[in-house]
Amino acid sequence: MTNKAAKIAKQWLDDADAILVTASNGLSISEGLNLFANDKKLKEVLGDLVDKYHLPNLLTAFVFKYPNQLDYWRMVARVVEYYGNNYEISNYMQDIKKIIGNKSYFVWTSNIDHHFALVGLTNLFEIEGNWFEGVCSNHPAEHSVHYLASKLHEIYEKDQAGTLTEADIPKCDECGAPLALNMAGEDFQINQKQVQAFQDFIQKYEDKKLVVLELGIGPRNQMIKAPSM
Ligand SMILES: [Zn+2]
């Protein structure tokens, strides 16, 4: 960015009535979370599961058909412990918070890491869900969404201690069926409160000065980039 462009951007931000932050996986990658990478961090996070199932990256780890559910939840717990429960705010997130300041804002993201919520930016629309939430695999639409942060931490601890059993697999409070992660896929339940809040925000600022920050979104992104344009 040239000096002149930076000055204009600063002016727009100063004059803005509100800020819409749009973000996709480029931001996660900048923060050190790369779902596509086959690097040494993959083994650091997933441990023996990498060799056991020949997992090339985190994305595959989430869609791989494990022969048993315990290994699936081991994988989830290890990932969420590392990138979720132990998440520390990055310089990027600090800068985003600084830019927003006291202005009205909304975050629209396809990132499933829940990092915006973890840093307190909770005016949030997670268009593909996040990996802290579980839905009933038998009644995804009817039974309530479960917040799994502490449950996943417990699974992680038991996994490390070698005491994890089938009884620890997260289940629906209402019917006892196993939970599925509430992320893009057939069981996905979009958060209607988030959808409504997002629509309200857009309506409120449609005729006002709204600055859109686009962070780490690819040029052909149809989910966020195309509609925001
Ligand atoms: Zn259920």
Side-chain angles (χ1 to χ4, degrees):
M1 191 185 270
T2 63
N3 234 341
K4 195 178 162 207
K7 272 189 188 136
I8 293 171
K10 168 85 168 60
Q11 193 61 51
W12 284 355
L13 286 165
D14 286 346
D15 292 346
D17 295 313
I19 297 173
L20 175 62
V21 178
T22 63
S24 186
N25 67 299
L27 175 65
S28 297
I29 292 170
S30 301
E31 285 201 286
L33 165 53
N34 189 335
L35 294 174
F36 310 97
N38 189 341
D39 52 14
K40 68 174 183 355
K41 223 169 163 185
L42 184 71
K43 205 142 189 192
E44 193 185 327
V45 177
L46 293 180
D48 58 339
L49 295 173
V50 173
D51 290 337
K52 190 172 176 185
Y53 296 115
H54 308 288
L55 300 171
N57 53 47
L58 287 177
L59 205 59
T60 308
F62 274 92
V63 296
F64 184 80
K65 300 284 175 221
Y66 296 86
N68 66 75
Q69 283 301 295
L70 265 191
D71 275 351
Y72 170 74
W73 285 104
R74 266 195 184 98
M75 178 280 296
V76 174
R78 289 177 189 183
V79 172
V80 173
E81 183 72 9
Y82 190 94
Y83 289 109
N85 286 324
N86 289 337
Y87 173 67
E88 284 174 19
I89 188 166
S90 63
N91 293 339
Y92 297 95
M93 282 293 183
Q94 260 159 0
D95 287 345
I96 295 164
K97 288 187 83 166
K98 211 186 284 174
I99 286 168
I100 290 172
N102 293 321
K103 282 193 193 294
S104 199
Y105 75 93
F106 214 93
V107 178
W108 181 14
T109 185
S110 55
N111 292 347
I112 48 163
D113 52 39
H114 208 43
H115 286 176
F116 284 103
L118 295 175
V119 303
L121 295 173
T122 51
N123 296 340
L124 179 62
F125 178 25
E126 292 170 313
I127 198 167
E128 295 203 283
N130 71 71
W131 58 32
F132 278 99
E133 287 181 359
V135 284
C136 176
S137 57
N138 280 354
H139 309 90
E142 296 82 8
H143 291 175
S144 48
V145 172
H146 297 63
Y147 192 67
L148 297 175
S150 57
K151 179 68 187 170
L152 290 173
H153 178 66
E154 185 191 314
I155 291 174
Y156 176 80
E157 299 267 276
K158 287 190 175 179
D159 176 26
Q160 296 303 304
T163 58
L164 191 69
T165 69
E166 301 276 333
D168 298 307
I169 291 173
K171 307 225 169 42
C172 174
D173 287 346
E174 288 162 76
C175 73
L179 294 183
L181 283 187
N182 192 26
M183 304 197 306
E186 53 183 296
D187 291 337
F188 179 50
Q189 299 301 307
I190 203 156
N191 184 323
Q192 292 300 340
K193 277 188 196 149
Q194 289 187 351
V195 173
Q196 189 59 52
F198 179 57
Q199 283 170 350
D200 291 347
F201 175 85
I202 294 296
Q203 267 165 17
K204 186 171 177 190
Y205 292 103
E206 66 182 344
D207 299 325
K208 308 249 167 50
K209 289 178 187 159
L210 178 66
V211 169
V212 180
L213 293 181
E214 188 185 285
L215 307 172
I217 302 185
R220 282 193 294 273
N221 180 295
Q222 290 301 310
M223 218 170 0
I224 296 176
K225 188 179 179 80
S228 74
M229 282 168 80

